[in-house]
Structure formats: structure tokens, C-alpha cells
């Protein structure tokens, strides 16, 4: 797709689907690396992630301090009533986050790609900076629902600027919990804001506009290797995965360095400045003592 038509599609729908963006070798490398990270990760810390409840999930310290770390978070449904894992540990992880793009060599090499910089600029960003990376497993049988949301809720900037790149590392379809989105929904308001005050965080409803009705949403079924770029205000969701197949994906979130980044966002890049998709590696190593777990 040409640059002009990419931008036109992005402005019309709030998302663009680019099949074949990631080649098979890169898909295999990312999946293998995620496996290694999980295998090397310490015993279950018990930190769980839920994107299901409107306000029922309270992020813990593990989560709130994971902006410059590589940590594993468990599926809510991975534990039984006694708190024991009901599935093998490697099938119990919901995601790895949130600085793979800076702290892990395989994910760093993948994330800093000139093509991503060009795409972000084609969508109107002036100074795209990579803020967050997440590996999402959407495990077989227990992969949790992700309720309707807008990514700008977690990256408040003035003006709005966050852009998501979502890379399918397996075929995604209705059975294993593909993305759903409401085309054109990015022209609506930001409905919620995730705000941190000190050590506590909360989700604030700031606009009562309802989430898209089921018949306004389309299933973004796609093949492994597909890139889906999403506007930060695009409402999107995914259903639980009750199928026997996983639905792995990797995501990157970028914000515009020319926009004002809210100091109340959970993820701050003050100690370690964010850099662009096309910037070369920093000369210096990450700061001493940067937590890798
Ligand atoms: Fe999202």
C-alpha cells in the first residue's frame, strides 16, 4: 500500500492492516525469545493482569514499576481457588512487559526499524518515540478478554498522539480471540483516563459516550506476520480465547515527542529517555541497576 493510501485509510478507519509486514524468520525469532524469557523467569510472583473488569483490577507494584523492566504477568484464570497454577507455567503467562524494546536484544532489534518510523510519520507523527512494548500470549483456553478500551487512556498526551503497532505472531481469528475494532471510532472522544497518584492508580471515566455496539465492530482476523496500526482513540477489544490454540502478538506504543506527556500517566520515561524507531542504539549501556525483572 502506498504512503498516501495508508494515511487515507488510517484517517478514515483509525487503523490500517498491513499483511506480511513481519517475515517468518522474525516471527520465529520473537516467539522463541519470548519462550526463553518465560523459562528463565523466576517463580510465580503472583502478579496478575486483568483487562476484563471496568474498575475491578488494581494494578500492583509489579505492574506500576514495569515501565523499565522485562516482567511476566499471569492470566487471571491461571490460578485455582487455592492460588495454585492450574496449567503449566509457560501456558499461564498473560504478557511480558513493558521495556522489551530497550532491554532485550532480540526485541530491541525488531522494534527499532526504519519502516516503523516511516509509517508513524506517514500517519502524522512528527517525532515518534517508542514508549512501551508488550508480548501478549492470549493463551489457549484461558486467554483473558480485553474489554473495549482506547490506548490513549494509558498514554494521555496533549494533543492526543499515541499510536499502537500490533504484530500478529500467529494467525488470529474469531476462535482464538482476534482484535475487534469499530472503524471510524477514533473520531469519538477519549472515554477514560488511567491516572496514577503516588503509588495508587485508578481508571477515571471522563466521557459517557458508550462503547461501540456489537454490530458496529469488525473482527480483524489476520495471518501471522500482519501488522495492524491503530490510532490511540480507536475503540478496540478482544474476546476470551477458549480455543485450543494460542494467539501470540507483540505490540509497540509510540507517542509524539512534540506533544505534552501527562505526568500522571503510569509509564514515565524520565530516567531513561525514550528514543525513536530509527534512532541508533545509545552509546551508553542502560543505567546501572536498571531492573531487568
Ligand atoms: Fe489496546
Amino acid at each position: 500500500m502506498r504512503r498516501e493510501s495508508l494515511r487515507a485509510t488510517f484517517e478514515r478507519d483509525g487503523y490500517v492492516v498491513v499483511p506480511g509486514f513481519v517475515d517468518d524468520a522474525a516471527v520465529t525469532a520473537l516467539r522463541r525469545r519470548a519462550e526463553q524469557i518465560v523459562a528463565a523467569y523466576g517463580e510465580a510472583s503472583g502478579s496478575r493482569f486483568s483487562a476484563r473488569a471496568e474498575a475491578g483490577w488494581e494494578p500492583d507494584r509489579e505492574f506500576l514499576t514495569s515501565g523499565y523492566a522485562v516482567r511476566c504477568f499471569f492470566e487471571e484464570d491461571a490460578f485455582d481457588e487455592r492460588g495454585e497454577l492450574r496449567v503449566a507455567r509457560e501456558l499461564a503467562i498473560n504478557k511480558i512487559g513493558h521495556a522489551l524494546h530497550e532491554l532485550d536484544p532480540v526485541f530491541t532489534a525488531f522494534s527499532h526499524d526504519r519502516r516503523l518510523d516511516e509509517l508513524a510519520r506517514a500517519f502524522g507523527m512528527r517525532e515518534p518515540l517508542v514508549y512501551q512494548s508488550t508480548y501478549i500470549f492470549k493463551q489457549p483456553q484461558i486467554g483473558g478478554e480485553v474489554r473495549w478500551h482506547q490506548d490513549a487512556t494509558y498514554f494521555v498526551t496533549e494533543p492526543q498522539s499515541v499510536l499502537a503497532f500490533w504484530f500478529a505472531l500467529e494467525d488470529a481469528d474469531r476462535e482464538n480471540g482476534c482484535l475487534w475494532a469499530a472503524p471510524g471510532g477514533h473520531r469519538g472522544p477519549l472515554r477514560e483516563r488511567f491516572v496514577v497518584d503516588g503509588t495508587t492508580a485508578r481508571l477515571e471515566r471522563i466521557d459517557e459516550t458508550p462503547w461501540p455496539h456489537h454490530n458496529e465492530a469488525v473482527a480483524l482476523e489476520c495471518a501471522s506476520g500482519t501488522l495492524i496500526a491503530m490510532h490511540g482513540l480507536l475503540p478496540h477489544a478482544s474476546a476470551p480465547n477458549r480455543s485450543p490454540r494460542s494467539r501470540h502478538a507483540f505490540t509497540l506504543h509510540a507517542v509524539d515527542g512534540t506533544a505534552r506527556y501527562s505526568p500522571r500517566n503510569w509509564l514515565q520515561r524520565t530516567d531513561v529517555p525514550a528514543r525513536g524507531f530509527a534512532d541508533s542504539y545509545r552509546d551508553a549501556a542502560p543505567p546501572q541497576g536498571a531492573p531487568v525483572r
Side-chain angles (χ1 to χ4, degrees):
M1 214 187 284
R2 293 188 39 206
R3 191 182 162 101
E4 299 76 44
S5 54
L6 281 171
R7 178 157 188 161
T9 303
F10 185 78
E11 286 178 353
R12 184 192 66 208
D13 295 339
Y15 64 88
V16 172
V17 178
V18 187
F21 186 88
V22 188
D23 64 30
D24 290 348
V27 167
T28 303
L30 296 188
R31 293 194 51 178
R32 190 164 295 157
R33 186 65 190 143
E35 255 172 48
Q36 290 169 348
I37 292 170
V38 169
Y41 202 70
E43 278 313 296
S45 67
S47 188
R48 302 171 200 190
F49 179 78
S50 169
R52 182 162 55 199
E54 284 289 328
W57 172 70
E58 297 257 325
D60 59 15
R61 200 177 161 281
E62 282 279 293
F63 183 90
L64 290 175
T65 57
S66 65
Y68 199 69
V70 173
R71 290 201 185 127
C72 297
F73 296 92
F74 287 84
E75 283 288 354
E76 262 193 311
D77 292 345
F79 297 88
D80 63 20
E81 318 70 55
R82 292 167 306 155
E84 307 282 339
L85 280 178
R86 28 169 131 239
V87 292
R89 200 165 59 116
E90 62 275 17
L91 293 175
I93 307 290
N94 170 290
K95 63 179 179 179
I96 311 173
H98 292 93
L100 289 155
H101 65 290
E102 291 290 355
L103 297 177
D104 182 87
V106 176
F107 284 97
T108 299
F110 176 83
S111 305
H112 294 276
D113 178 335
R114 194 162 299 280
R115 295 181 301 161
L116 297 175
D117 187 67
E118 285 166 9
L119 270 178
R121 290 178 195 275
F123 299 148
M125 291 184 94
R126 287 193 285 165
E127 192 189 329
L129 298 174
V130 197
Y131 260 60
Q132 176 180 271
S133 47
T134 313
Y135 191 101
I136 302 164
F137 291 85
K138 201 82 168 181
Q139 302 282 9
Q141 318 292 355
I142 59 166
E145 173 187 358
V146 177
R147 67 183 185 87
W148 283 103
H149 68 283
Q150 297 157 296
D151 288 352
T153 288
Y154 303 92
F155 296 93
V156 174
T157 68
E158 186 53 50
Q160 193 308 114
S161 68
V162 66
L163 170 70
F165 286 136
W166 187 97
F167 306 90
L169 303 180
E170 289 185 286
D171 295 347
D173 53 39
R174 286 172 171 79
E175 275 71 53
N176 66 352
C178 67
L179 287 174
W180 289 75
H186 64 301
R187 288 190 284 272
L190 181 63
R191 294 161 177 81
E192 297 169 330
R193 199 165 48 189
F194 188 69
V195 173
V196 169
D197 276 319
T199 56
T200 60
R202 64 182 187 280
L203 196 62
E204 286 180 353
R205 187 83 186 191
I206 55 174
D207 189 288
E208 292 305 322
T209 302
W211 293 111
H213 188 266
H214 188 67
N215 58 21
E216 297 171 276
V218 295
L220 303 183
E221 295 187 306
C222 63
S224 176
T226 300
L227 163 62
I228 301 179
M230 288 184 283
H231 189 284
L233 291 176
L234 179 75
H236 59 285
S238 66
N241 181 8
R242 301 293 177 234
S243 82
R245 292 176 294 128
S246 53
R247 194 229 63 193
H248 290 202
F250 179 59
T251 68
L252 291 168
H253 286 88
V255 300
D256 199 318
T258 64
R260 180 184 168 274
Y261 190 79
S262 171
R264 299 169 82 198
N265 288 335
W266 80 270
L267 198 165
Q268 297 293 327
R269 287 260 171 263
T270 43
D271 294 345
V272 184
R275 62 190 174 115
F277 290 107
D279 291 355
S280 57
Y281 299 130
R282 277 189 305 273
D283 292 336
Q288 291 286 312
V292 175
R293 283 189 184 166

